Amino acid sequence: MVGGPWEPVIGLECHVELNTRTKMFCSCPNRFGAEPNTDTCPVCLGHPGSLPVPNREAIARIILIGLALGSTIAARSIFHRKHYFYPDMPKNFQISQYDLPICVGGALEIDLPDGSAKRVGITRVHMEEDTGKTTHASASGRIHDAAHALVDYNRAGVPLVECVSEPDLRSPEEAGAYLRELRALLGALGVSDVRMEEGSLRCDANVSVRPVGSDELGTKIEIKNLNSVRSLERALAYEIDRQTRALEAGEVLVQETRHWDEDAGRTTVMRSKEEAFDYRYFPEPDIPPIEPDPAWIEELRARLPELPRARRDRYVREHGLRPEVARVLVADPGASDLFERTVALGAPPERAANWITQDLAALRKAGEGRVGPEHLAELIAMLDRGEITGASAKVALEEAFATGDPVPVIVERRGLAALADADALAEAVRAAIDAHPDAVERFRAGNEGVLGFLVGQVMRATGGTADPRRVADLLRERLG
Ligand code: ADP
Ligand code: MG
Ligand code: ZN
């Protein structure tokens, strides 16, 4: 019997769908969202007598991932058959890797909330194929009241990389940081779409709890298929709490696999160790060993881009960005690419970063737009020259996002040019004062807050083209 305080121990197994043009062992297209069961062939449907042929580009990509993580690339690795029966897996075995994976060892360095860094060990990175997808057809979407199930084999045979971490993580936040870092790394390598909401990055979390100071591992629980950083952190927090209470109550935990119920906010048992599958792994007889040419590995190493950590450090050092801003930018390869090209056009880095991580990021939530570096650089330059106001700049950005038209064209077309004409501005201020005698009275009686209301009236009347600071000055002058 051991006592607290308790320390969580966490290791993650992350599955990454590669964005190769074709599937892992056949030439079917690898894409998301096609009509069900149209991207299939005898190989990925597991017809007898069909022969799998490994996808060279998928092997190149897993080697890139291994090199980026500092793994050893095995001179010889082999595929195994992993057997189990499930309707979404037509062969009744999955081609995977077992004791001889392509990438062994390595580490992923993560940033902790307190600003320090931590190296999380990588056990292995191996190559496998994805399964199909089963949808339970019921009004509630739940399995137990489904009348039937629909199976889509488009995803069967999509190249899947599994990245297994050492049990080095010590809190839900560290696990979240690890998953975000891995997503940024894979995004920077361009090997996957890493869209957790589409399932191209998924995560199983292993967690146990032990007395602080112990160097033995506790009984681990595996939580399957977490598909967002938030779910991962919530599921771990719940599970750590559950295990700690159980241990404090003197219970003995058993190794089991659990499911995270997002709505209920808790984990439930899927299966215990006794029910664990016996996969009957054996070497895949149809695929020769993978023995990558060392010269090819060096070619791939030369293809490695700047990795997210190095890039973040550079943004802080060279461009003077705050670390949090650098992190948000670098987490999204599209955003950091846009940032660099905007700065190359002469835009001040901090301003460019703010537009990209705030206004543009909000627009991009709804889909890809047509804003390029020239739009942003021009927008910032026009703002700086006082040719447009902040409010007009937001309107121009939205329109550039939708149309891709040059910013000066949009400013002209929409009449967004800053109201530089002093007479017109004075007229707008006078009109606002005349229209709101009550507000004027309250302001004169000492209610400063009313000034904002009057500025707002002028901004509205001028379609956002008046400079709000000049308007405020003019109002004070008139009313003072
Ligand atoms: P299995 O053979 O059950 O898949 P592994 O030893 O391969 O188990 O480990 C799978 C994952 O679980 C790894 O990420 C590893 O770091 C993690 N892990 C292993 N033991 C523990 C433990 N006691 N507590 C937390 N995580 C663990
Ligand atoms: Mg495992
Ligand atoms: Zn196929």
Side-chain angles (χ1 to χ4, degrees):
M1 179 65 227
V2 282
W6 307 92
E7 170 187 67
V9 173
I10 301 161
L12 300 187
E13 298 168 278
C14 297
H15 285 98
V16 188
E17 281 181 357
L18 300 181
N19 56 1
T20 47
R21 206 172 45 76
T22 56
K23 290 188 183 180
M24 187 61 216
F25 299 113
C26 61
S27 55
C28 287
N30 168 21
R31 57 184 169 189
F32 182 82
E35 267 298 292
N37 296 306
T38 52
D39 292 339
T40 56
C41 75
V43 174
C44 55
L45 289 177
H47 290 189
S50 59
L51 269 184
V53 178
N55 180 335
R56 182 180 166 90
E57 183 54 28
I59 303 291
R61 287 174 192 214
I62 191 175
I63 291 175
L64 276 174
I65 295 170
L67 291 173
L69 291 168
S71 310
T72 302
I73 309 303
R76 179 176 179 278
S77 80
I78 64 171
F79 284 102
H80 268 77
R81 290 185 179 183
K82 177 181 181 178
H83 297 84
Y84 59 100
F85 173 78
Y86 205 75
D88 65 12
M89 202 180 58
K91 293 200 292 282
N92 288 337
F93 62 84
Q94 177 190 29
I95 304 179
S96 181
Q97 294 197 289
Y98 184 51
D99 53 351
L100 291 173
I102 297 186
C103 313
V104 182
L108 182 64
E109 206 160 288
I110 62 170
D111 290 321
L112 299 182
D114 69 359
S116 63
K118 171 170 182 160
R119 281 173 71 80
V120 180
I122 300 294
T123 315
R124 54 188 274 150
V125 185
H126 74 243
M127 188 81 242
E128 55 187 42
E129 57 177 337
D130 212 343
T131 58
K133 210 172 173 170
T134 310
T135 307
H136 296 278
S138 69
S140 69
R142 307 188 98 90
I143 293 180
H144 66 259
D145 52 39
H148 56 279
L150 301 167
V151 193
D152 175 10
Y153 291 116
N154 284 351
R155 202 179 69 178
V158 163
L160 196 65
V161 163
E162 179 170 345
C163 177
V164 182
S165 89
E166 290 288 298
D168 286 349
L169 299 158
R170 292 290 174 271
S171 68
E173 295 70 34
E174 284 189 15
Y178 171 91
L179 186 55
R180 276 196 298 268
E181 190 66 40
L182 185 66
R183 184 173 60 188
L185 182 82
L186 297 164
L189 293 173
V191 296
S192 167
D193 299 340
V194 284
R195 294 207 184 103
M196 296 198 75
E197 65 287 2
E198 287 182 4
S200 54
L201 175 62
R202 321 191 276 271
C203 175
D204 301 338
N206 299 269
V207 53
S208 59
V209 166
R210 67 182 175 191
V212 169
S214 162
D215 53 10
E216 274 168 43
L217 290 173
T219 304
K220 78 164 183 179
I221 302 291
E222 182 175 16
I223 315 168
K224 278 283 179 201
N225 254 324
L226 297 160
N227 52 17
S228 72
V229 174
R230 192 176 126 81
S231 302
L232 169 69
E233 293 184 356
R234 285 182 70 205
L236 283 171
Y238 173 88
E239 191 56 30
I240 290 164
D241 184 59
R242 188 189 68 82
Q243 291 182 26
T244 305
R245 284 168 196 269
L247 291 173
E248 288 193 332
E251 285 173 36
V252 177
L253 293 167
V254 291
Q255 194 173 320
E256 59 192 13
T257 302
R258 298 178 74 94
H259 163 78
W260 168 244
D261 184 335
E262 186 77 58
D263 298 330
R266 60 188 159 90
T267 62
T268 51
V269 185
M270 275 170 70
R271 56 177 180 262
S272 68
K273 194 180 183 178
E274 294 77 58
E275 305 163 75
F277 297 125
D278 176 355
Y279 294 119
R280 301 276 157 142
Y281 278 100
F282 75 73
E284 165 61 65
D286 288 339
I287 304 177
I290 305 292
E291 296 171 331
D293 183 349
W296 186 43
I297 295 176
E298 287 321 302
E299 243 171 71
L300 291 169
R301 195 190 302 278
R303 238 169 75 182
L304 281 179
E306 182 181 35
L307 300 180
R309 268 193 76 78
R311 181 169 277 203
R312 282 199 297 269
D313 289 348
R314 184 165 63 79
Y315 284 5
V316 171
R317 207 176 53 241
E318 270 178 24
H319 296 308
L321 296 189
R322 283 181 293 126
E324 314 85 79
V325 176
R327 188 168 313 138
V328 174
L329 268 183
V330 172
D332 175 351
S336 58
D337 190 53
L338 182 60
F339 168 74
E340 302 211 354
R341 290 163 59 208
T342 307
V343 169
L345 291 176
E350 201 186 320
R351 306 274 303 284
N354 285 343
W355 278 99
I356 292 169
T357 57
Q358 292 166 25
D359 295 84
L360 187 59
L363 292 171
R364 284 178 71 203
K365 280 209 175 105
E368 278 311 304
R370 304 172 66 179
V371 165
E374 38 335 301
H375 292 108
L376 285 172
E378 190 106 58
L379 197 76
I380 294 168
M382 290 185 81
L383 256 171
D384 285 348
R385 292 193 299 261
E387 292 166 11
I388 48 174
T389 63
S392 302
K394 285 178 199 281
V395 175
L397 183 75
E398 253 174 64
E399 184 139 341
F401 188 81
T403 64
D405 290 343
V407 172
V409 171
I410 293 170
V411 167
E412 170 77 36
R413 181 168 67 217
R414 298 281 304 263
L416 293 173
L419 198 57
D421 177 2
D423 289 344
L425 196 58
E427 179 50 41
V429 167
R430 183 166 18 195
I433 289 172
D434 289 348
H436 301 282
D438 300 3
V440 168
E441 202 168 303
R442 295 216 307 280
F443 178 76
R444 287 194 166 129
N447 187 341
E448 269 288 317
V450 174
L451 194 71
F453 165 78
L454 289 168
V455 172
Q457 294 306 306
V458 177
M459 295 304 289
R460 208 155 85 187
T462 59
T465 60
D467 173 357
R469 251 168 318 172
R470 274 187 66 199
V471 173
D473 289 346
L474 277 174
L475 280 165
R476 278 182 198 287
E477 230 175 86
R478 285 290 163 86
L479 302 176

